[in-house]
Each structure stands twice: as C-alpha cells, then as structure tokens.
Amino acid sequence: MSTLTRFSVKPLSTLTRTLADVAFARRDPDLVIRGARVLSTYSERILGDREIWVSNGRIAAVKPAGSYRGGSAKLYDARGGIIAPGLVDPHIHIESSMVTACAYAEAALLNGTTTIFCDSHEIGNVMDVAGVEAMLEDARHAPLSIFLTVPSTVPATSPALETAGGDLTPEKIAALFDRWPEAVALGEKMDFVQVAMGDERSHAILAAALQRGRPVSGHVYGREFVSAYAASGVTDTHEAIDREIADDLLEAGIWLFLRGGPPTTPWHSLPHAIKTITELGASHKRIAVCTDDRDADDLLQFGLDWVTREAIAAGMTPEQAWAMGSLHGATRFGMENEIGGLGGGRRADLVLLSDDMTPVNTWYGGELVVEDRKVTPVLEEALSKPYRYPDAAYHTVKLPKQLQLTPDLPTEKLIAHTIKTELPGITLGHERVVLEPANDWQTHFERHGLCFVTVVERHGKSAGNVGHGLLHSFGLKRGAVASSVGHDSHNIIIAGTNEADMRIALDAIEEKQGGVCVVMDGKVTAMVALPIAGLLSDKRVHEVAEEVKALKVEWEKAECTIAYMGFNLIPLSVIPEIRITDKGLVLVPEMDIQALFETI
C-alpha cells in the first residue's frame, strides 16, 4: 500500500492530548504555515495575518501572525496567499474519468480537492460486488480521502429492459454497508419513477440504508416526482436542471449539489439551478457544488475548484462558494468535524489559493503534495505504487463470434422509431420517420439524417443480445464510433454508417477488453483503451488525458453532434424520452420496449 493514504493521519481520538499541548504552546507543531490570509468556511470571512499550526497531520490551531516564536517546527511562508480547507466533492463517479482511484488522486490534488464521495455504480454494473470492492481497495491505496456512496440502482432498470453484468440486491447492499466503514451513504437512486411508484425492490434498497442510519443520495427529473422522492428518504440530488426544480428540492428538505460540467458537455447545470439563490432568495446553507462526471482531460482542466469559481461567476461571494465546495459537502455526510474547515482537530487538508481562487499548493494530511501546481516527490512516490485490480477485471468483454450489427433493410414503407440527439444530449427525442422503400441504407441516411446505432451485450450473460436502432441528427456521415462505457449496464454502443466499420470498432474494443474509439475508412483513428472492467485505463491521469484529447479531435472530425460522453448516455434507460439497450428501444418513462419499425 502507498505510504500516503487516508489512513496516514491517526484518528482524532488518539491525538487530542497532543493537539491540545500544541495549541497551548506546550509542544512544538510539526509545521507552521506563516504569512497567510485564512478563508474561514465557518464564518465565511477571509482573515488577515494568520498562521496555521499543524501536528500529526491535523490542525492544532489557527493563530495570529507571529504567535510561533521558534523551535523545531518546519516553517512555510504562504507569502500573503489565501489558505483554505481542501475541497470536498460530494458526488462523483471515478469511472467516468477512465482512470483508477490512485490515478484520479493526482488530478484531484492538483485541483485542491482532498476528499471525494464516489458512487461506483459503473464498475458495479459490470462486476457486481466484486467490482465495487475492488474499487474500495483501490481507494484505500490512493493518496486521497475517498468514501463510497454504495451503488443503489444496479441494474438501472430491470433484466426485462437491459442486461447488466451486476445485480446489487438489497441484501448485497446491506452487506457492503456492514463490511466497509467507508461506505457512508446510499448512492444516487436513479430509478426515480419506480421509487415514486412504490416498487418493492427499490424501497427494500432504500430500507437497507435507512435502517443503518445512512443518508440516501438521489437522481430525479421532473417536479412531479419530488414529493414522493423526499418521502422515500432521499436527501440529496445533483440533477437540478433549473431554478424551479432546485427550489422544490430545497423546500422538500433535499440537499442540492450544483453540478458544474465543462460547458461543452451536457452536465453544466449550475448556472441555471443556482438561481434558486440568486433570483428566488434561497439560502445556500444546504447547497454544495459537485463535478459528477469528468473524463481525464476535463478532470485536469475543470476540477471542483473550477466549479467553485463558476459559483462565484454566478453570483456567490468567494467565501460562500468555497464553503459550498468544502464545508457543505462535509456537513451533508456528517464529517464537518473532520474536514471542510480550518478548526482545531480537523485534518490538515489545506489549499494555498491565489487571489483568483486558483489552487497553487495542496497539503494532504499535513504533507505538501502539490507545490506551484506541480506534484511533489512525496506524492510522486505514492502515485508510483498503484493498486492492481484482480485478473477478472481485465476480462469483462465477452462476445459471441457471429453478430449482426445492423438491422435488415426494409422492403416496404414503414415508420421507423428513431432516437433524435439534441444538445446538450442528456434527454433524447423520439422521432418517428417514414421510410419509403429504397435500395440501400445510405439512401435513407441521406434523406432523413440518420445513421445506425447498435448496443451489443458484452457480459456473456445472453446468447448475444444485439439491440438495433437509428440515430437522428447525430451528424455521422461515414465510419463508426463505439464505446464499452454505455451507461449504465455498460454494454458496447456503436454508431455507424456501415457494418464493416462498425465491426472494426467492435473488434478493437474486444481486443483491448474495453475502450472508446473512432473508425474511419476501415482504420481505427483514435482509441482510449480501457482494459479494467471495460471502464478504466491502468495508466497515469496525464497519459489518459492525452489519449482523450486525441479521441476528441477525431470525434469532431467525424462530425458527431454530441460529445462522446453524451454518446455514452444513449443506452441510459432511466432518462426520457427514448433509449436503446441490448434488448432494443426503450421508451421512458413508460419503461416499454418499442419495435424499431412499425407498419403503416
């Protein structure tokens, strides 16, 4: 295990006498950070001329400048910079970054994030409990404080609508809570329709958390569902897309996580939802900020520090925004006495900020891990000893030899039920297109702006299920794009204009045991290999970020109208209005299978 982990700092219960001695100047601190302004998330003020005394990886005291008069402590001059608590991300999916927890830690610390609460439902959908526990072991090796919100909706719907690799029953979820102390909450309950309708399994899963006093995280669209959702025990959500539903959620007693996503993705809902504060007058006391999903490239550029600055741009003061990025997330999960502020006894997870609220240095448990925006030797050593996933995680793409990747060409006039992709790409439209008889598919594509979309079951749990569909307005004119990160069952999704290129994309993913790729004229032009569960790379975050950048370039050349992360959502069968899984087209919220063609 790495020498720098969450466990490197001893529990407060074992250090109270030592910290009291240091605070009372009866014992020297290990570290004194001088020349600082201190951002207090408790009073939401920036206090001038302060110094922070650190002992055993914890804050002993914040003192007036010049209080420490010499001794054995190591001194660090902040040169007038702002010292703030490390950021706390209350809702993320590590798998979206396509790197392991150990690799994720590097990007997080560079961005001033020292604690995350992750929902590992992606790897749970592929590998069941074994996947979740492998990621927990990975997290224990990481130089970052990582807590689990136990995946609650695996599979996202039911075997009638899709084939997943995992099935996290209420009993399995209860066992995860009982075995893993870092399992602190139930992850986002995505099947909000079933929750509102009183589905027995959904409520048994809620009960597994509530009986143990664990909070429940949510995922909900539609104001009509809010009351029933809150009544079912859900107490946070990150899916508020506008000020009205944000206001409803707050009034229902549900914590609001304002999701900031890169503006080019479907995830940037913060500017709209924050209007519950700036326009409707709500308090920010039960509002935090989160990232939710980031690929490796965006993780480095658009971390939680960027989201916090977006909150400032949207009208919050810097002090309010940083509290929303640190203390509020800690408070939501009952950890405000450990993280999120600079009080005595708290972990010395600290960030040195420039005046524009950009992290310059990061201390993790009192260890300087980032200095001048660069990884220090202490962190480099920790990152050089990553966790190795079990061998089974490297063999999760299991395909039959013979698969038909495109539907048969209709010989008569039909209505085709197509999936219309519209920016930003979260919700998808149900477009009915009349197909007149034609000699080839290309004629239909040119007439109606269509291409193929296919989902291939990859867990080896069926006889080779393949769902055929048609994408409307996706923009792909030639070649194919494909991904093994088809949310949430993580079957392989392929869009293309011809079966040959689609086959090349599928073969590339099978060979690498997972990945995202672009194929043009019979050649793979870009690929991010994801050999761990078909979701994660085993490389460092900067290496994966470079691969993702190259993928994005080719994706744009292919003229796809939505980014690849939006493309990965096309099989997500809990979001309106129409989706595709390995079982075929799924109508949402009806939760019915729809045939691709309908006779006229």
Side-chain angles (χ1 to χ4, degrees):
M1 181 179 288
S2 163
T3 55
L4 181 66
T5 68
R6 176 166 61 90
F7 307 99
S8 301
V9 176
K10 294 178 182 178
L12 178 60
S13 60
T14 68
L15 294 172
T16 53
R17 293 182 68 193
T18 299
L19 292 172
D21 284 345
V22 173
F24 226 77
R26 292 190 297 268
R27 178 183 297 198
D28 265 357
D30 301 324
L31 169 69
V32 175
I33 302 175
R34 288 177 153 176
R37 291 172 286 160
V38 165
L39 193 158
S40 170
T41 54
Y42 305 127
S43 62
E44 294 184 354
R45 295 179 294 177
I46 293 180
L47 310 173
D49 297 324
R50 296 295 194 273
E51 58 189 39
I52 298 97
W53 294 7
V54 176
S55 175
N56 289 274
R58 291 185 178 273
I59 298 169
V62 177
K63 299 273 190 175
S67 296
Y68 183 69
R69 292 184 170 82
S72 62
K74 183 178 180 180
L75 304 179
Y76 193 95
D77 188 356
R79 299 181 181 179
I82 300 168
I83 294 289
L87 292 168
V88 176
D89 199 329
H91 178 75
I92 70 109
H93 304 283
I94 289 175
E95 300 99 315
S96 293
S97 66
M98 301 188 288
V99 295
T100 64
C102 288
Y104 185 99
E106 179 176 3
L109 293 169
L110 283 166
N111 292 329
T113 300
T114 51
T115 301
I116 63 172
F117 293 84
C118 73
D119 181 342
S120 55
H121 69 79
E122 279 105 336
I123 201 166
N125 266 288
V126 176
M127 297 180 62
D128 204 85
V129 169
V132 176
E133 295 194 321
M135 182 158 280
L136 280 164
E137 289 288 358
D138 184 9
R140 285 185 171 184
H141 285 72
L144 191 70
S145 294
I146 301 176
F147 297 94
L148 177 72
T149 62
V150 178
S152 66
T153 320
V154 176
T157 53
S158 73
L161 298 178
E162 59 188 330
T163 305
D167 179 19
L168 293 184
T169 63
E171 295 75 20
K172 291 177 182 178
I173 288 169
L176 282 166
F177 278 128
D178 294 341
R179 281 200 297 269
W180 295 86
E182 53 266 72
V184 297
L186 189 68
E188 59 177 305
K189 201 75 189 78
M190 298 183 67
D191 55 342
F192 60 91
V193 176
Q194 289 92 320
V195 169
M197 298 306 292
D199 176 76
E200 183 176 352
R201 172 180 162 125
S202 297
H203 283 264
I205 288 171
L206 293 169
L210 296 172
Q211 288 165 359
R212 289 165 173 77
R214 303 296 202 281
V216 176
S217 297
H219 166 120
V220 62
Y221 288 90
R223 298 175 73 184
E224 66 272 24
F225 294 102
V226 170
S227 295
Y229 213 43
S232 300
V234 178
T235 43
D236 75 51
T237 185
H238 56 283
E239 295 289 357
I241 59 173
D242 57 41
R243 68 175 195 171
E244 283 72 27
I245 193 169
D247 215 51
D248 290 351
L249 291 161
L250 285 178
E251 294 298 346
I254 295 175
W255 275 84
L256 201 61
F257 300 158
L258 300 178
R259 178 175 57 200
T264 56
T265 72
W267 286 271
H268 198 43
S269 52
L270 180 149
H272 310 290
I274 203 170
K275 292 177 182 177
T276 184
I277 303 171
T278 58
E279 294 183 1
L280 299 181
S283 167
H284 69 293
K285 67 182 179 181
R286 286 174 61 86
I287 300 177
V289 292
C290 75
T291 58
D292 194 6
D293 294 289
R294 290 289 191 276
D295 66 32
D297 178 31
D298 287 341
L299 180 61
L300 291 165
Q301 298 183 65
F302 302 102
L304 191 59
D305 61 316
W306 177 83
V307 182
T308 303
R309 291 192 296 273
E310 286 290 290
I312 297 170
M316 310 306 295
T317 69
E319 297 86 349
Q320 289 172 330
W322 203 268
M324 290 162 64
S326 54
L327 179 63
H328 293 198
T331 303
R332 190 278 177 272
F333 291 108
M335 296 189 188
E336 67 273 24
N337 293 331
E338 181 76 359
I339 54 176
L342 301 183
R346 275 64 169 183
R347 282 182 57 103
D349 295 342
L350 311 171
V351 182
L352 175 64
L353 300 170
S354 60
D355 284 349
D356 66 356
M357 306 300 284
T358 298
V360 178
N361 291 6
T362 304
W363 287 264
Y364 178 63
E367 294 283 353
L368 184 60
V369 291
V370 174
E371 186 171 23
D372 295 328
R373 300 286 298 157
K374 296 178 182 177
V375 169
T376 65
V378 171
L379 180 55
E380 187 64 42
E381 181 184 0
L383 295 170
S384 70
K385 302 171 184 176
Y387 169 75
R388 165 79 184 185
Y389 277 74
D391 286 345
Y394 290 85
H395 300 93
T396 62
V397 177
K398 304 165 186 175
L399 303 178
K401 295 298 181 186
Q402 300 298 322
L403 291 171
Q404 181 179 338
L405 298 181
T406 59
D408 292 330
L409 181 68
T411 58
E412 57 184 329
K413 186 176 180 179
L414 295 169
I415 293 175
H417 293 269
T418 73
I419 301 170
K420 186 173 185 180
T421 59
E422 298 177 286
L423 292 175
I426 293 180
T427 57
L428 299 172
H430 182 183
E431 190 83 3
R432 294 163 179 83
V433 175
V434 176
L435 299 184
E436 300 284 351
N439 294 324
D440 53 34
W441 274 111
Q442 194 60 38
T443 301
H444 293 307
F445 294 169
E446 291 173 0
R447 282 177 182 170
H448 304 289
L450 303 175
C451 69
F452 297 121
V453 62
T454 301
V455 173
V456 178
E457 194 272 307
R458 61 105 161 175
H459 306 293
K461 292 199 167 186
S462 72
N465 284 354
V466 178
H468 295 135
L470 296 168
L471 285 182
H472 189 288
S473 306
F474 185 58
L476 188 67
K477 303 292 193 301
R478 61 190 183 93
V481 295
S483 172
S484 58
V485 191
H487 294 286
D488 261 344
S489 288
H490 298 292
N491 290 308
I492 297 171
I493 178 169
I494 314 165
T497 58
N498 64 88
E499 179 137 1
D501 283 338
M502 293 171 73
R503 168 65 62 181
I504 289 168
L506 182 65
D507 289 346
I509 287 175
E510 183 178 24
E511 179 187 353
K512 299 294 185 182
Q513 282 296 295
V516 186
C517 67
V518 177
V519 174
M520 284 291 158
D521 302 323
K523 295 180 180 179
V524 177
T525 59
M527 182 165 194
V528 181
L530 304 174
I532 302 172
L535 301 172
L536 308 174
S537 171
D538 49 12
K539 299 177 182 177
R540 288 273 289 267
V541 66
H542 285 87
E543 294 179 81
V544 181
E546 289 303 313
E547 292 178 358
V548 171
K549 285 180 183 177
L551 176 77
K552 289 176 178 177
V553 168
E554 294 301 319
W555 199 273
E556 287 187 14
K557 287 182 183 178
E559 300 184 65
C560 301
T561 53
I562 57 174
Y564 81 92
M565 288 187 80
F567 174 73
N568 288 342
L569 295 178
I570 291 174
L572 184 52
S573 55
V574 291
I575 298 178
E577 171 180 12
I578 185 170
R579 301 281 153 168
I580 182 170
T581 72
D582 66 302
K583 299 292 182 77
L585 298 177
V586 178
L587 300 181
V588 184
E590 298 90 337
M591 295 302 173
D592 290 332
I593 296 289
Q594 170 66 57
L596 176 56
F597 300 120
E598 179 184 333
T599 57
I600 297 177

